[in-house]
Amino acid sequence: MGYMMNDKLVFLGLLYFVQGIPYGLQSSLLPLYLRGAGHSLTRIGFTKVLYFPWVLKVFWAPLIDRIGTKRRWLVGTVSGLALTCVSSALLAPDAQLWGVAGTLLAMNALASVQDIAVDGAAVGLLKGRGELGLGNTAQVVGYKAGSVFAGGGLLAVIDVAGWSWMFLLLTFVYAGVALFVWGAPVLDEDSLRSQQTDVSRRGGGQGADIVRPWRVWKKLLAVPGTPWTVLYVLTYKLGEQGAVTMFPLFLLDHHMTARELGFWNGVIAMAFSICGSSLGGVLLAQCSIGAMMRRVFVLRTISMVFQSSLLTVLEPSPLMKGMAVLSMSIQHFLGGLITTLTFTTMMHCTQRADESVQATHYSFLATLEVLGKLMFSALAGGLVDWLGYQVAFLFFLTLSAGTALHVWTATITGALREHPLKQPQ
């Protein structure tokens, strides 16, 4: 039994690892590369639009769930990512920026489809509370490790060997994972489960909802706590996302080199994020989710005040660099902790939905969570170009304080009070 569980964790962890690579490329490596090439913060901010396929995944998720097997979807998407990396290796990013944008858009589209397939595989593979906990740990750590690999490790590769060799390395990584998934024994029963599920759906009378999708949306919005949760997931990361996106670029403009930022922001800060995400699961077993969120959101607002104060110090002194690294590490740690709390809140809201729409309800909330982050990330660069770093960060701080107040109110009288954390039995 332990041997099979290890196989499941390796399988899931590896797939979430390669799924995190496009995010690391775009969130950590690409902004530094483009800024170093002289592009404006507005243009860099608009590269967040390339994440848009993640917003659309809720629309094609039913298709992936009903057609083919998880093995075929996973092999197909990972192989597609390998081919996309080959295309990227043939481009010159300084002269073919639109071509680079197209390949990154394709990578995000393929990774978003892979996400649906691997989540579906995890639901079928993980049995019982213990396996679910370990599987979710593999998800968080694997995804963030892939992001660290792309945002920090590959920045060193591109600095030494160049753009083309970096993407050729990624091609071999994706090709190897595709071969691994093709022969993975943990998916041997996937085809049988898919056929059985298809038969049950055809006999379950779900065709009416497919023909009349507004019935499903009506059910989703009628779930208690959904309106508050929708507003929360759209806004909870706004201030933090602006700071996390723009602060490394401020340091690149005034204090640090791209190689230094690749290590401190792409590796060390992301390691703090992984620690925060892992700690969230431990703390939730001891405290109510309302109490945890109230405290952590206040701490995040305080950390934003600290980070904003550093913008007034423009000298590249060792002390300033140390404080900047400390600020980024704290911000990523609290951000990882808040992410765990947020997805737990979303799951508790989904548990109140009818079983026939629970999967769609959770996918709906997860899509809005991504949309909220992307909308502001795309605009943050333009705000800094227009207002300057100091004024823009005061705006980010105001947004963060507003979210903290929104959460504090909900823990006393609102949706978080209605959603107490279920204790393990």
Side-chain angles (χ1 to χ4, degrees):
M1 180 67 70
Y3 178 74
M4 280 298 297
M5 186 58 203
N6 288 336
D7 285 349
K8 294 176 184 179
L9 292 178
V10 170
F11 174 80
L12 294 173
L14 190 58
L15 281 170
Y16 283 117
F17 174 85
V18 296
Q19 189 185 119
I21 289 174
Y23 178 79
L25 282 175
Q26 201 167 320
S27 64
S28 297
L29 186 147
L30 187 64
L32 296 178
Y33 188 87
L34 293 178
R35 189 61 172 172
H39 293 280
S40 70
L41 295 177
T42 301
R43 175 173 289 186
I44 294 171
F46 276 120
T47 62
K48 301 295 183 181
V49 174
L50 301 177
Y51 287 126
F52 197 65
W54 289 91
V55 177
L56 300 178
K57 72 174 188 174
V58 69
F59 296 106
W60 56 61
L63 178 68
I64 295 166
D65 201 34
R66 287 171 170 78
I67 298 176
T69 64
K70 298 299 185 295
R71 188 194 301 273
R72 290 177 181 174
W73 280 109
L74 290 171
V75 172
T77 52
V78 176
S79 299
L81 284 163
L83 292 175
T84 305
C85 288
V86 173
S87 301
S88 297
L90 300 176
L91 297 174
D94 293 334
Q96 298 170 294
L97 186 60
W98 286 108
V100 172
T103 56
L104 285 173
L105 182 65
M107 290 185 76
N108 278 305
L110 289 165
S112 67
V113 174
Q114 182 205 353
D115 178 54
I116 299 167
V118 71
D119 284 345
V123 169
L125 289 173
L126 301 174
K127 310 295 183 184
R129 185 184 297 273
E131 288 195 4
L132 284 172
L134 291 173
N136 282 316
T137 300
Q139 175 187 5
V140 173
V141 174
Y143 186 87
K144 290 189 175 181
S147 178
V148 170
F149 169 72
L154 291 182
L155 193 64
V157 174
I158 197 174
D159 195 38
V160 174
W163 178 274
S164 296
W165 281 105
M166 179 190 73
F167 275 101
L168 286 176
L169 172 63
L170 284 180
T171 300
F172 285 110
V173 170
Y174 279 119
V177 173
L179 290 174
F180 172 78
V181 174
W182 181 256
V186 296
L187 287 178
D188 285 346
E189 298 181 7
D190 183 48
S191 297
L192 179 60
R193 279 200 307 269
S194 179
Q195 293 170 3
Q196 292 172 340
T197 302
D198 187 53
V199 171
S200 66
R201 278 174 180 150
R202 282 198 294 256
Q206 294 182 14
D209 283 341
I210 297 175
V211 176
R212 289 172 230 164
W214 59 85
R215 290 187 176 181
V216 177
W217 292 107
K218 186 176 180 180
K219 288 182 181 178
L220 297 184
L221 296 175
V223 176
T226 297
W228 182 90
T229 307
V230 165
L231 178 60
Y232 168 76
V233 298
L234 281 171
T235 59
Y236 85 106
K237 281 275 187 181
L238 293 187
E240 176 191 316
Q241 199 69 19
V244 167
T245 302
M246 290 295 112
F247 191 69
L249 299 180
F250 167 79
L251 296 177
L252 184 66
D253 287 346
H254 295 95
H255 303 284
M256 292 188 181
T257 65
R259 179 179 291 185
E260 287 177 316
L261 282 169
F263 176 72
W264 291 113
N265 188 52
V267 178
I268 300 301
M270 283 303 298
F272 273 89
S273 179
I274 292 172
C275 291
S277 296
S278 302
L279 181 62
V282 175
L283 293 177
L284 282 172
Q286 304 173 9
C287 306
S288 70
I289 191 169
M292 280 294 304
M293 290 184 71
R294 187 165 59 238
R295 295 165 187 169
V296 173
F297 272 83
V298 171
L299 288 175
R300 187 183 71 173
T301 304
I302 295 172
S303 75
M304 290 275 294
V305 172
F306 171 57
Q307 189 171 80
S308 299
S309 68
L310 297 178
L311 300 176
T312 61
V313 184
L314 301 180
E315 304 84 19
S317 64
L319 177 61
M320 171 58 193
K321 288 185 177 182
M323 291 296 100
V325 169
L326 176 63
S327 172
M328 289 189 295
S329 299
I330 293 173
Q331 196 78 298
H332 278 79
F333 176 82
L334 293 174
L337 184 53
I338 286 172
T339 299
T340 299
L341 298 177
T342 296
F343 278 91
T344 303
T345 300
M346 290 160 53
M347 191 167 293
H348 278 276
C349 183
T350 296
Q351 286 176 345
R352 293 191 155 206
D354 185 84
E355 288 188 7
S356 64
V357 296
Q358 279 188 349
T360 305
H361 185 273
Y362 189 78
S363 182
F364 168 62
L365 292 178
T367 299
L368 292 179
E369 194 267 345
V370 173
L371 180 62
K373 292 188 292 188
L374 290 188
M375 284 191 307
F376 198 72
S377 294
L379 299 175
L383 284 173
V384 172
D385 277 340
W386 180 37
L387 301 173
Y389 281 108
Q390 286 84 357
V391 177
F393 266 72
L394 285 177
F395 180 60
F396 301 155
L397 174 60
T398 302
L399 289 174
S400 181
T403 306
L405 180 61
H406 182 56
V407 167
W408 189 283
T409 303
T411 60
I412 299 172
T413 61
L416 290 179
R417 187 180 180 186
E418 296 171 2
H419 289 60
L421 185 65
K422 293 183 179 179
Q423 296 299 326
Q425 298 178 355

